[in-house]
Amino acid sequence: MNEYSVLISGAGIAGPALAHWLHRQGIRPTIVEQAPDVRLGGQAVDLRGLGEVVAERMGIMPRVRERIVHEKGLRYIDSAGRELATMPADLFVGDGSPVTEIEIMKGDLTEILLDLIDDHTEVIYGDRIESMVEGPDGVEVTFRSGLVRTFDVVVGADGIHSGVRALAFGPEADYVVHLGAYLGYCTVPDAGPLDDWFDMYSEPGRMLALRPERGGSAKAMLAFAATGADVDRRDVASQKRLLREVFDGMGWRAGELLAAADADADFHLDTVSQVHMDSWTRGRVALLGDAGYCGSPLTGMGTSLALVGAYVLAGELGRAAGDHAAAFARYEEIMRPYVATAHTLAPGGVDGFLPRSRFMLRMRVLSARLMHHWPMRQIVARMLDKSEAIELPDYASTSVAAMP
């Protein structure tokens, strides 16, 4: 047969990771990315548990360690910036830890992954999939630019608002579950001394946070509890107006962070949501990472899910020697337990992240202090541990391209 080909929508983390492993299996990957160029922005992301294992197998950990964001952990503070409680990065280990020792800017990890595939993967920028027609020998894809090409398989690695999912599975509202909070990010070019801590200041139902970035800048996080707020994710001006209403009169550095949000061209606001689907595959189309099983930013598992999912999907496509149906079935079977654990929120869920009363805020600080001591530390560690959800297969390279 012709060389087996896979079209991947999305050049973030999941897409390039999948392209790397597909190439290792003798499969030809192509990536299409709607952004006009490489997107190297974004907040710090956690590399933990099985995600770190996959990164080691990719051979990228030396470069990752060169670009680690040095962060001591999470620090709860009062309105004057005084420390109330801390959760150091080494307090817990494993996939479910609320803080981790390996953090890297999303843009840095994206750049590392794109460098890894530069010599073997075609990346089409400034375009997107407009329609897909599946036939017995592949999927005919029409791009917005008018280009028409056929691929054996199409993979949506295009995030929680996946266009591939909408085309192949139906409306976003059928799969995306809003958890009752909104989360915004912006860059603060000169945040002053942060002492390498991720500082978090909370008032009932709203929170401001600052975490250091590599290079001296910082990322601000602005979160608030709301189930009825109608936020147009394409209307950034209205999002910034909403933030000013929500955070009006808040203490600590609220005015400074709101001004930073106004000035940041890459400011981003979205719902805190999860993606729940009975199946991540249909015909010759599969979903990967946030597109199929986003666990929400509250879990800290997005990067690990993307890397592990890419490894398993590519490995099963290689092992199945061109039988996409068999590969997809195994992909779902292996990943389901891991995704299920990754969807489990920390105790308290959104209310734990954004307490609605001053009493609950005080209780959160008390809990954080108790976590340093036995037996609370051991109890919480067992609740958070997700490291044994699955055992990663060891895929040998099997070139489907050479098969008749």
Side-chain angles (χ1 to χ4, degrees):
M1 68 178 187
N2 295 328
E3 187 178 24
Y4 201 86
S5 63
V6 174
L7 174 65
I8 306 163
S9 176
I13 291 174
L18 178 62
H20 165 78
W21 291 115
L22 288 173
H23 176 72
R24 290 273 292 268
Q25 293 293 335
I27 300 172
R28 176 167 55 86
T30 299
I31 296 177
V32 60
E33 167 58 52
Q34 65 177 340
D37 205 344
V38 181
R39 295 188 296 183
L40 297 181
Q43 68 277 13
V45 295
D46 301 332
L47 196 56
R48 58 178 78 201
L50 295 178
E52 185 180 351
V53 172
V54 171
E56 291 279 8
R57 294 184 185 184
M58 297 176 87
I60 64 172
M61 283 307 296
R63 290 196 65 190
V64 167
R65 293 186 191 282
E66 289 174 359
R67 302 193 184 194
I68 281 178
V69 175
H70 296 287
E71 185 176 300
K72 295 177 182 176
L74 175 65
R75 177 166 63 186
Y76 294 117
I77 59 174
D78 65 14
S79 60
R82 294 177 297 235
E83 179 182 303
L84 297 174
T86 63
M87 295 180 67
D90 60 356
L91 185 61
F92 302 108
V93 296
D95 279 337
S97 173
V99 288
T100 179
E101 292 184 282
I102 301 180
E103 292 190 344
I104 181 172
M105 301 309 300
K106 183 178 181 181
D108 285 344
L109 182 56
T110 299
E111 186 175 33
I112 290 170
L113 294 171
L114 288 172
D115 286 348
L116 197 65
I117 66 171
D118 183 59
D119 63 345
H120 61 68
T121 298
E122 176 189 12
V123 183
I124 304 169
Y125 288 103
D127 211 345
R128 62 177 296 170
I129 299 171
E130 193 73 18
S131 66
M132 300 183 295
V133 178
E134 184 171 334
D137 300 318
V139 183
E140 183 181 86
V141 176
T142 300
F143 296 84
R144 177 166 290 180
S145 64
L147 177 69
V148 179
R149 289 169 61 176
T150 299
F151 301 87
D152 291 284
V153 164
V154 175
V155 177
D158 46 352
I160 192 169
H161 303 295
S162 170
V164 170
R165 187 186 62 226
L167 288 172
F169 295 84
E172 179 174 305
D174 291 347
Y175 308 107
V176 178
V177 179
H178 183 193
L179 299 182
Y182 287 82
L183 190 57
Y185 297 98
C186 70
T187 298
V188 183
D190 183 10
L194 291 179
D195 195 25
D196 291 334
W197 284 96
F198 180 6
D199 282 340
M200 181 179 292
Y201 170 65
S202 296
E203 294 181 5
R206 53 186 185 173
M207 179 269 290
L208 296 170
L210 265 177
R211 69 190 310 173
E213 294 185 306
R214 191 173 62 87
S217 60
K219 189 69 69 178
M221 188 164 65
L222 307 94
F224 59 97
T227 54
D230 186 13
V231 176
D232 185 346
R233 62 187 178 89
R234 297 178 181 84
D235 187 349
V236 177
S238 69
Q239 294 173 10
K240 292 179 178 180
R241 286 195 299 271
L242 176 62
L243 282 185
R244 288 205 166 272
E245 295 172 7
V246 169
F247 292 96
D248 180 48
M250 190 168 180
W252 191 44
R253 302 171 67 172
E256 176 189 348
L257 300 189
L258 288 170
D262 276 341
D264 188 356
D266 295 323
F267 165 80
H268 174 76
L269 177 74
D270 208 340
T271 62
V272 175
S273 298
Q274 291 187 331
V275 176
H276 292 271
M277 302 184 71
D278 293 333
S279 176
W280 311 312
T281 63
R282 179 167 294 177
R284 292 177 176 267
V285 177
L287 300 176
L288 172 65
D290 281 355
Y293 35 83
C294 175
S296 89
L298 302 189
T299 68
M301 292 282 290
T303 301
S304 291
L305 281 172
L307 293 178
V308 174
Y311 174 78
V312 172
L313 178 56
E316 292 302 327
L317 282 168
R319 183 173 284 179
D323 184 347
H324 67 276
F328 287 176
R330 282 288 294 156
Y331 166 59
E332 299 231 16
E333 179 184 348
I334 293 169
M335 287 295 295
R336 280 286 166 186
Y338 189 45
V339 170
T341 61
H343 275 190
T344 304
L345 300 178
V350 170
D351 286 341
F353 177 62
L354 291 169
R356 310 297 179 98
S357 69
R358 295 198 178 277
F359 172 75
M360 293 308 299
L361 285 170
R362 290 193 294 270
M363 292 301 297
R364 185 177 67 178
V365 168
L366 177 60
S367 296
R369 291 172 178 170
L370 290 174
M371 284 182 193
H372 291 259
H373 306 289
W374 187 92
M376 181 62 72
R377 183 171 179 172
Q378 284 70 24
I379 293 171
V380 174
R382 285 195 295 269
M383 292 173 63
L384 294 173
D385 185 25
K386 303 175 183 180
S387 60
E388 297 182 1
I390 61 172
E391 183 175 346
L392 283 179
D394 186 6
Y395 296 107
S397 296
T398 306
S399 176
V400 300
M403 300 194 66

